[in-house]
Amino acid sequence: MKLYFLPGACSIGIHALLAEIGEPFEIEKAARPGTHEFESYKRVNPKGKVPALIRNDGSLLTEFPVIALYLARINPERGLIPTDIEGEIRVLEMTEYLVSTVHMQGYTRARRPEKFAPSESDYAAVKAMGLGIFQAGLDRAERQINGKDWLFEQMTIADFALFYLEHWSVVNGIGSLGQNCQTHHDRLWSKIEIRRAIESETMPSS
């Protein structure tokens, strides 16, 4: 398998998940819009974004929750998605909320207000709205962890969606992590294989 990523993007969640699973995979840096390489990347992934996963049969998967679910399903021994339907839908519900609401509606507004407002005079209000959504998501996760190690009774794919949001908060200083979320982030970040995977994204090619 090959993961297309951008350093520090939400693809770090999938990169961390792959590292945790421990199966062999390759990584390749995607291209950003506006660069000469972007059209080439769009031939790989017409959506032009990350994460994108090329499976062993050569087919493409996109969208964080879908890639995460696929990886959990093909590695059932890791227990990253519950086997009962109620447990599964609750994990998927949380994963989708973290990605589509907390990230896309919250963090993106706070960091890229121009995507949501044509006038620069509106940027401050858009940023404030985004920060509110982002913080509300972190606070919801804080309450759900409630002293546990993970969002649910065991580690699931939802923890890797939360991890990249927590990491953004730590690195970029957006939002505030409660003690449960800070400990959750540090628990994953302290895993050597995950830390090495994320740090490798910014290493120069040999």
Side-chain angles (χ1 to χ4, degrees):
M1 289 185 290
K2 178 186 287 188
L3 172 68
Y4 283 89
F5 74 96
L6 284 171
C10 62
S11 49
I12 66 173
I14 297 297
H15 200 170
L17 178 57
L18 282 162
E20 173 67 21
I21 289 170
E23 293 295 325
F25 66 95
E26 303 173 50
I27 60 171
E28 185 167 332
K29 186 177 177 181
R32 295 185 184 276
T35 64
H36 292 301
E37 298 83 6
F38 186 61
E39 288 306 314
S40 295
Y41 177 58
K42 285 186 70 177
R43 287 194 286 273
V44 175
N45 176 14
K47 293 178 180 177
K49 62 179 188 174
V50 295
L53 185 74
I54 302 295
R55 297 189 288 181
N56 290 333
D57 64 1
S59 61
L60 172 71
L61 276 185
T62 63
E63 308 303 333
F64 189 108
V66 173
I67 295 172
L69 177 60
Y70 170 73
L71 293 173
R73 284 281 180 83
I74 65 170
N75 295 279
E77 72 283 355
R78 305 296 300 191
L80 292 164
I81 192 76
T83 55
D84 64 292
I85 189 168
E86 182 65 20
E88 179 179 12
I89 62 175
R90 293 305 179 190
V91 168
L92 293 176
E93 178 183 46
M94 188 61 171
T95 304
E96 178 63 22
Y97 167 70
L98 291 168
V99 174
S100 66
T101 299
V102 184
H103 169 186
M104 298 304 297
Q105 298 299 320
Y107 185 84
T108 305
R109 273 186 168 87
R111 291 281 285 184
R112 299 288 302 278
E114 69 276 8
K115 287 190 169 186
F116 297 88
S119 173
E120 191 171 348
S121 63
D122 295 323
Y123 287 2
V126 171
K127 285 182 178 181
M129 177 184 291
L131 182 58
I133 295 170
F134 186 69
Q135 188 62 54
L138 294 178
D139 292 345
R140 180 184 290 269
E142 178 76 11
R143 293 191 299 271
Q144 180 155 332
I145 294 172
N146 192 29
K148 303 189 299 296
D149 287 348
W150 311 108
L151 283 164
F152 296 89
E153 294 305 317
Q154 64 186 58
M155 181 195 293
T156 69
I157 59 174
D159 291 294
F160 292 86
L162 178 58
F163 171 71
Y164 82 75
L165 297 170
E166 293 166 335
H167 200 65
W168 282 350
S169 180
V170 170
V171 172
N172 297 322
I174 293 182
S176 176
L177 299 184
Q179 186 58 54
N180 288 325
C181 283
Q182 185 67 60
T183 301
H184 177 272
H185 170 271
D186 294 348
R187 181 172 289 110
L188 285 170
W189 187 240
S190 68
K191 288 174 172 279
I192 298 299
E193 63 276 11
I194 289 178
R195 189 164 191 158
R196 284 177 177 166
I198 304 307
E199 289 177 341
S200 73
E201 294 187 355
T202 57
M203 291 180 181
S205 301
S206 57

